[in-house]
Amino acid sequence: MTIAVIDYGMGNLHSVAKALEHVTHENVVVTRDARRINGATRLVLPGQGAIRDCVGELERTELRGLVEELLASQAKPLLGICVGQQMLHERSEENGGIDCLGFMPGQVRRFPADMRDESGNRCKVPHMGWNLVHQHQDHPLWQGIDQDEHFYFVHSYYVEVEDDATLFGATDYGRVSAHVATGRDATFAVQFHPEKSSRAGLRLLENFVHWTP
């Protein structure tokens, strides 16, 4: 087995790779070589920063078409992380509107600048730190992870799904329910950083390594 972390220049590539190496003895590579990506048995699509830059770099490195082909075929498991989750949906509000990969129906929204919780306390944006994730559906990647387990977040934008069948987990921040775990067929994606989320994050990565959709 080879797990390919897709290197298009964005995201915590080597942190993700190190976390994967911690939970498996399988071969983990960070690569932008189309042949190695095609030959891998599992794929990880990370992302960090502005979605405009992530989409732009995916195109500049000529990997967008390959990723879209792999998503369409669903021939191998793929895990999206952070902006890698956002890109799998249709469109982001960032910079007046950015078209994404459109693999799952849903929009990427920005947290309101003056967001407050139910008690009237102001919530900082970006949403940064530990927060619980409520599982909306069973999934093999949730195996061994408690309901309402905490994961680590850093984000100003969040996914809002348009099909509840693709929603696997949500996090409440202020008065917003952010859809932070989404999936379809052989693809699963999370807004949080499993590589920074201690035991629960490592368990999710281990589950991904053993997942057979």
Side-chain angles (χ1 to χ4, degrees), residues 1 8 36 41 46 50 60 65 80 99 117 124 165 168 172 184 200:
M1 180 191 297
Y8 61 102
R36 298 189 78 183
T41 46
R60 188 187 67 79
D99 288 330
D117 62 21
K124 293 181 179 179
F168 287 90
D172 291 336
R184 174 187 148 196

Side-chain angles (χ1 to χ4, degrees), residues 16-87:
V16 172
K18 289 294 184 184
L20 285 164
E21 290 170 353
H22 185 78
V23 300
T24 182
H25 295 296
E26 305 295 348
N27 189 33
V28 180
V29 297
V30 177
T31 182
R32 63 179 59 187
D33 185 291
R35 289 173 297 179
R36 298 189 78 183
I37 293 170
N38 267 319
T41 46
R42 297 176 191 277
L43 305 171
V44 179
L45 179 66
Q48 184 172 311
I51 197 168
R52 175 187 60 187
D53 296 338
C54 288
V55 172
E57 286 300 298
L58 201 60
E59 293 173 347
R60 188 187 67 79
T61 55
E62 300 182 349
L63 290 174
R64 177 171 181 160
L66 174 59
V67 170
E68 289 177 330
E69 289 174 9
L70 292 166
L71 287 169
S73 71
Q74 289 296 282
K76 57 191 73 179
L78 182 146
L79 176 66
I81 296 176
C82 195
V83 178
Q85 184 218 16
Q86 295 177 14
M87 285 198 299

Side-chain angles (χ1 to χ4, degrees), residues 22-198:
H22 185 78
V23 300
T24 182
H25 295 296
E26 305 295 348
N27 189 33
V28 180
V29 297
V30 177
T31 182
R32 63 179 59 187
D33 185 291
R35 289 173 297 179
R36 298 189 78 183
I37 293 170
N38 267 319
T41 46
R42 297 176 191 277
L43 305 171
V44 179
L45 179 66
Q48 184 172 311
I51 197 168
R52 175 187 60 187
D53 296 338
C54 288
V55 172
E57 286 300 298
L58 201 60
E59 293 173 347
R60 188 187 67 79
T61 55
E62 300 182 349
L63 290 174
R64 177 171 181 160
L66 174 59
V67 170
E68 289 177 330
E69 289 174 9
L70 292 166
L71 287 169
S73 71
Q74 289 296 282
K76 57 191 73 179
L78 182 146
L79 176 66
I81 296 176
C82 195
V83 178
Q85 184 218 16
Q86 295 177 14
M87 285 198 299
L88 294 175
H89 295 81
E90 293 173 312
R91 189 168 174 81
S92 172
E93 292 181 341
E94 185 181 323
N95 295 109
I98 301 292
D99 288 330
C100 302
L101 301 181
F103 175 69
M104 288 183 278
Q107 306 296 314
V108 181
R109 311 290 189 192
R110 193 185 193 286
F111 285 118
D114 189 26
M115 186 169 60
R116 298 180 183 273
D117 62 21
E118 296 296 334
S119 300
N121 299 311
R122 186 167 183 174
C123 300
K124 293 181 179 179
V125 179
H127 170 215
M128 183 180 299
W130 296 85
N131 206 340
L132 62 84
V133 174
H134 186 80
Q135 300 167 23
H136 279 244
Q137 298 185 63
D138 289 337
H139 193 280
L141 267 68
W142 289 141
Q143 183 178 351
I145 298 173
D146 292 339
Q147 179 66 284
D148 298 329
E149 181 62 88
H150 285 75
F151 291 86
Y152 188 81
F153 292 86
V154 182
H155 62 128
S156 299
Y157 292 80
Y158 65 94
V159 169
E160 181 180 79
V161 305
E162 294 178 2
D163 181 356
D164 286 344
T166 67
L167 174 59
F168 287 90
T171 289
D172 291 336
Y173 188 58
R175 301 182 185 183
V176 170
S177 179
H179 298 160
V180 298
T182 52
R184 174 187 148 196
D185 302 327
T187 294
F188 194 83
V190 294
Q191 176 66 66
F192 53 81
H193 289 272
E195 76 280 8
K196 297 181 180 179
S197 295
S198 190

